[in-house]
Amino acid sequence: MIDYFDLEASLSQEERLLVDSARSFVEGEIDDMGEHWIEGTFPTEIIPKMGEMGFYAPNLEGYGLPGVSETSYGLLMRELEACDSGLRSMASVQGALVMYPIHAFGSDEQKEEWLPALGEGEAVGCFGLTEPEHGSNPSAMETRAEKDGDEYVLNGSKTWITNSPIADVAVVWAKDHSEDDTPVRGFLVETDRDGVTTNKIDEKLSLRASITGEIALQDARIPEENRLPGVSGMKGPLSCLTQARYGIAWGAVGAAQDCFETAREYATDREQFGKPIGGFQLQQRKLAEMATQITLAQLLAHRLAELKEAGEMRPQHVSMAKRNNVRMARDQSRIAREMLGGNGITADYSPMRHMTNMETVYTYEGTHDIHTLILGEDLTGIQAYQ
Amino acid sequence: MKVLVTVKEVGEADDDFEIEGTDIASSDLEYDLNEWDDYAIEAAVQLAEAGIAEEVVAVTIGPERAEETIRMALAKGADRAVRVWDDAFEGTFADVSSKVDVFEAVVDEEEPELVLSGVQAADTAFGATGVALAERIGFDHAAVVNDLDLDADAGVANVHRELEGGIEELTEVDLPAVLTVQTGLNEPRYASLRGIRQAQRKEIAATDLADLGLTPADVESTLTLTEMYEPESDSDAELIEGDAGEAAGRLAEVLREKGVGA
């Protein structure tokens, strides 16, 4: 894939091996993502295979997890999203949104119970934050937990939850009404408990090769030891999202690179007026712009990895990278689709699939606009969204 | 038992490539583990997982660049590796016997009971290293193996060999032995992230000829590359049209012209 400034040369041998291996895995194991996208299905048989590969939370240590570098983690997300945003979303949710909070805030028992199983893909997890009436402002959430003896009783509903219909466990964020000031707390809710239902959301026009659903909690009782002991308040869910958005900033580059390669190949093969369409200035301008924008996004992702590795990455850095790179992939996938003409609207080619996927990625994990306001606040010291 | 696997890094040319002197420009080559050696590694690692092999050692003849490829073999489960290189190999085109000289010395040092080798290399495609090595070190051998069932207690490898025309030979090979491995023996695994991490801590012993008790004269090649060129493609295909009777008539005519059945 396009790497105009030879950033791969800055990778360690270990990182290059990871790219090779992830690429072979995707090529060898994902049969036809276009077909899954059309059918609205996820290739669930690869969930344990991705676990065997160590694709879930590979940047975490212990519990059999590989503990790779932050750059490696980013590269992996890039390779997965070059195939499809649904594939990267699977790994993002399982790793950054489910395993990360258990690893960071869980008890030893919770870690023992869940991290190996989730890491191997024997169990699937999901992350319940967004509610039907509370998207960009999750701190206004209505889902509540109340202590009753040695149990918590949960009530509320969550929506737009990747993998909820196939999940074994949900990390549910709820306000704990048994505590003063009703702080937001994380709860591990097994989805087979009474009072828990996970309906699937159908007829999505974007991110179709990914399973999305709701979590409804009606007097769902969980043992008190299922609460994540190590965190209280919005920094719990927000710190998870920082991890996941980091992966998105990298993943979007992969989707755009795949669009670029498809468009370049098409432009050099497809002949009109007696020569390849890539020989015309209009198409060359598109390719030049696409290559430039991808390269800029790639540079941002690599620098973000260095900051993360050094412990100097701030959530605002991630906001800027996610905001820029997803917008870039959204715009450039459309240009790639355009270069393919009528052929570009079929599932035989990846750009339109990436293009529609990007509508989801543009809006989830903090909308583009909300990330704008996070940056605005960071730059002026004045909050615009309160 | 100890299993030695000979592996080679091979260069695959891009669709468009330049020829520089007697080689393809290195910027147009993508280096990778030879496909058939991948099957050999997988077979060895499966023997280790079955408790039959105690140690799997990969050996390659290649410059420093080849470390990345051999590291992939370690990431897939080989325990350690030996990389042989020497100034004497620079700019030369090694023949089968000079490679066998090197591998013979490595076998003397490692004393494996089983040597696995890809049936051929994707670049030079001599298909000779494994069997020539067996001859030299006095091991039994089987070439083009696509099924392997090893009975360590009896000291016998039961193998299927793929012969021409879809024929398979089922045979027994006494250990110690050299087997050259054909497509179909197994499906090589992908290197997992854990494997890749562990591979960073595994040894790749950089070894030169003196370390093996050899001299440049021992590995002198009888082969030299004299020229590299792209063959001119000559395409004058004739599409035979018409119904079956017409087409068969025209086909017979063409075959007679070419001297068939004369």
Side-chain angles (χ1 to χ4, degrees):
Chain A
M1 293 198 294
I2 181 168
D3 177 24
Y4 206 70
F5 274 50
D6 202 12
L7 285 161
E8 301 290 294
S10 68
L11 301 182
S12 69
Q13 191 187 67
E14 182 178 322
E15 289 160 351
R16 278 200 297 274
L17 285 181
L18 177 143
V19 171
D20 273 4
S21 196
R23 211 168 276 182
S24 318
F25 176 85
V26 170
E27 272 171 23
E29 297 298 318
I30 315 291
D31 223 14
D32 187 349
M33 212 56 187
E35 188 63 25
H36 278 288
W37 195 92
I38 298 260
E39 296 297 325
T41 52
F42 182 80
T44 46
E45 70 281 2
I46 66 157
I47 293 174
K49 289 183 185 172
M50 285 169 71
E52 244 172 75
M53 291 295 287
F55 284 178
Y56 305 127
N59 52 338
L60 301 182
E61 300 271 0
Y63 303 93
L65 301 170
V68 298
S69 70
E70 298 298 347
T71 303
S72 290
Y73 172 52
L75 291 164
L76 174 65
M77 295 301 120
R78 186 192 71 184
E79 292 303 317
L80 296 178
E81 196 145 6
C83 175
D84 193 272
S85 300
L87 197 58
R88 200 266 308 135
S89 294
M90 169 75 221
S92 272
V93 169
Q94 183 92 341
L97 297 183
V98 180
M99 293 171 68
Y100 172 81
I102 296 173
H103 193 272
F105 312 124
S107 65
D108 287 344
E109 293 73 28
Q110 290 168 345
K111 292 178 195 180
E112 292 291 343
E113 181 181 359
W114 289 110
L115 291 178
L118 290 163
E120 283 158 29
E122 284 167 10
V124 174
C126 67
F127 177 87
L129 177 64
T130 298
E131 298 184 356
E133 302 302 329
H134 306 282
S136 289
N137 184 13
S139 57
M141 70 174 67
E142 293 167 52
T143 301
R144 54 194 287 149
E146 243 149 329
K147 194 87 179 281
D148 181 24
D150 53 5
E151 290 180 322
Y152 278 100
V153 183
L154 297 176
N155 277 289
S157 62
K158 301 287 182 181
T159 192
W160 300 118
I161 312 302
T162 297
N163 284 346
S164 78
I166 59 163
D168 300 288
V169 65
V171 176
V172 170
W173 301 95
K175 287 191 173 160
D176 186 349
H177 284 257
S178 357
E179 288 181 74
D180 291 343
D181 302 329
T182 63
V184 169
R185 291 281 198 168
F187 299 88
L188 300 179
V189 181
E190 295 89 345
T191 53
D192 58 1
R193 286 192 183 275
D194 289 343
V196 182
T197 46
T198 53
N199 290 332
K200 184 165 174 276
I201 299 173
D202 288 314
E203 300 183 343
K204 288 180 296 169
L205 300 176
S206 168
L207 205 70
R208 288 186 55 76
S210 175
I211 302 165
T212 312
E214 305 164 336
I215 306 171
L217 302 159
Q218 283 178 313
D219 289 328
R221 289 178 170 270
I222 57 166
E224 63 180 342
E225 57 267 24
N226 277 23
R227 193 184 74 170
L228 294 175
V231 73
S232 166
M234 282 305 289
K235 77 167 184 293
L238 293 182
S239 66
C240 300
L241 291 170
T242 300
Q243 303 300 314
R245 288 164 185 163
Y246 169 83
I248 295 174
W250 275 90
V253 175
Q257 283 175 313
D258 186 54
C259 290
F260 174 84
E261 292 303 345
T262 308
R264 171 160 66 177
E265 197 186 324
Y266 190 85
T268 46
D269 282 351
R270 168 86 172 171
E271 291 190 11
Q272 291 292 289
F273 305 104
K275 67 174 177 181
I277 60 169
F280 293 100
Q281 292 180 7
L282 283 170
Q283 306 304 326
Q284 290 191 357
R285 180 176 185 274
K286 290 173 195 166
L287 287 171
E289 188 60 27
M290 209 184 292
T292 307
Q293 294 307 326
I294 289 170
T295 302
L296 291 171
Q298 215 184 350
L299 284 161
L300 204 53
H302 275 263
R303 177 61 188 153
L304 189 68
E306 287 173 6
L307 290 171
K308 193 169 196 292
E309 202 70 68
E312 288 166 14
M313 182 185 85
R314 297 189 300 129
Q316 291 85 350
H317 290 135
V318 186
S319 284
M320 185 183 280
K322 190 265 182 187
R323 179 180 182 276
N324 180 75
N325 291 8
V326 174
R327 176 181 58 189
M328 180 282 296
R330 186 186 189 224
D331 292 346
Q332 300 309 326
S333 56
R334 187 168 46 102
I335 303 292
R337 202 299 300 156
E338 175 188 316
M339 289 179 66
L340 268 57
N343 287 322
I345 71 159
T346 68
D348 294 345
Y349 296 90
S350 64
M352 187 152 172
R353 177 164 52 81
H354 285 304
M355 178 183 115
T356 63
N357 284 344
M358 279 305 139
E359 294 301 317
T360 295
V361 182
Y362 192 75
T363 324
Y364 78 8
E365 307 245 2
T367 67
H368 186 80
D369 286 347
I370 287 291
H371 286 296
T372 309
L373 299 186
I374 289 169
L375 291 173
E377 180 190 355
D378 195 42
L379 296 169
T380 63
I382 308 165
Q383 224 178 42
Y385 47 83
Q386 288 287 0
Chain B
M1 75 169 71
K2 186 193 276 190
V3 181
L4 185 72
V5 187
T6 65
V7 300
K8 185 180 184 185
E9 180 180 73
V10 294
E12 193 188 334
D14 296 339
D15 289 346
D16 292 313
F17 59 86
E18 298 287 327
I19 290 171
E20 279 175 6
T22 56
D23 212 342
I24 294 169
S26 57
S27 55
D28 295 330
L29 285 173
E30 196 131 329
Y31 294 99
D32 212 345
L33 178 63
N34 178 41
E35 178 189 336
W36 292 275
D37 298 341
D38 206 7
Y39 305 130
I41 288 284
E42 179 63 32
V45 172
Q46 285 183 11
L47 288 173
E49 286 171 345
I52 296 169
E54 276 117 44
E55 191 179 27
V56 175
V57 182
V59 55
T60 192
I61 303 172
E64 209 175 334
R65 187 198 61 229
E67 283 217 352
E68 195 164 318
T69 294
I70 204 161
R71 190 78 68 188
M72 192 58 109
L74 296 177
K76 292 184 178 195
D79 296 297
R80 61 186 173 85
V82 178
R83 180 180 65 82
V84 183
W85 193 244
D86 200 277
D87 291 345
F89 290 116
E90 292 286 356
T92 66
F93 186 64
D95 62 9
V96 172
S97 121
S98 50
K99 288 179 200 168
V100 168
D101 288 327
V102 169
F103 289 138
E104 180 188 19
V106 174
V107 167
D108 281 348
E109 199 132 302
E110 296 287 344
E111 299 180 336
E113 247 189 289
L114 179 66
V115 179
L116 296 174
S117 175
V119 68
Q120 63 187 345
D123 51 3
T124 51
F126 286 162
T129 306
V131 283
L133 175 65
E135 169 70 18
R136 181 79 69 80
I137 60 180
F139 280 21
D140 275 1
H141 77 268
V144 210
V145 169
N146 63 9
D147 189 77
L148 168 64
D149 175 19
L150 201 100
D151 186 341
D153 295 333
V156 170
N158 299 294
V159 304
H160 292 199
R161 297 183 54 224
E162 181 187 301
L163 305 179
E164 286 82 0
I167 297 170
E168 278 202 353
E169 182 189 29
L170 280 56
T171 185
E172 291 182 352
V173 187
D174 290 329
L175 299 179
V178 178
L179 307 177
T180 77
V181 170
Q182 169 67 316
T183 314
L185 179 64
N186 53 44
E187 191 139 331
R189 69 196 63 196
Y190 309 102
S192 74
L193 270 51
R194 276 175 286 272
I196 290 170
R197 288 238 72 192
Q198 282 161 4
Q200 304 304 310
R201 295 189 290 273
K202 292 179 179 174
E203 180 197 10
I204 300 179
T207 306
D208 64 14
L209 290 178
D211 294 331
L212 293 171
L214 297 171
T215 65
D218 291 324
V219 298
E220 207 171 322
S221 176
T222 52
L223 292 177
T224 47
L225 271 179
T226 55
E227 201 184 352
M228 174 78 78
Y229 61 92
E230 267 190 270
E232 274 185 38
S233 52
D234 186 13
S235 150
D236 56 354
E238 179 188 343
L239 285 177
I240 298 174
E241 288 175 5
D243 65 26
E246 288 165 5
R250 173 63 191 144
L251 183 60
E253 208 175 285
V254 172
L255 291 174
R256 267 196 297 275
E257 277 169 25
K258 299 285 177 196
V260 177

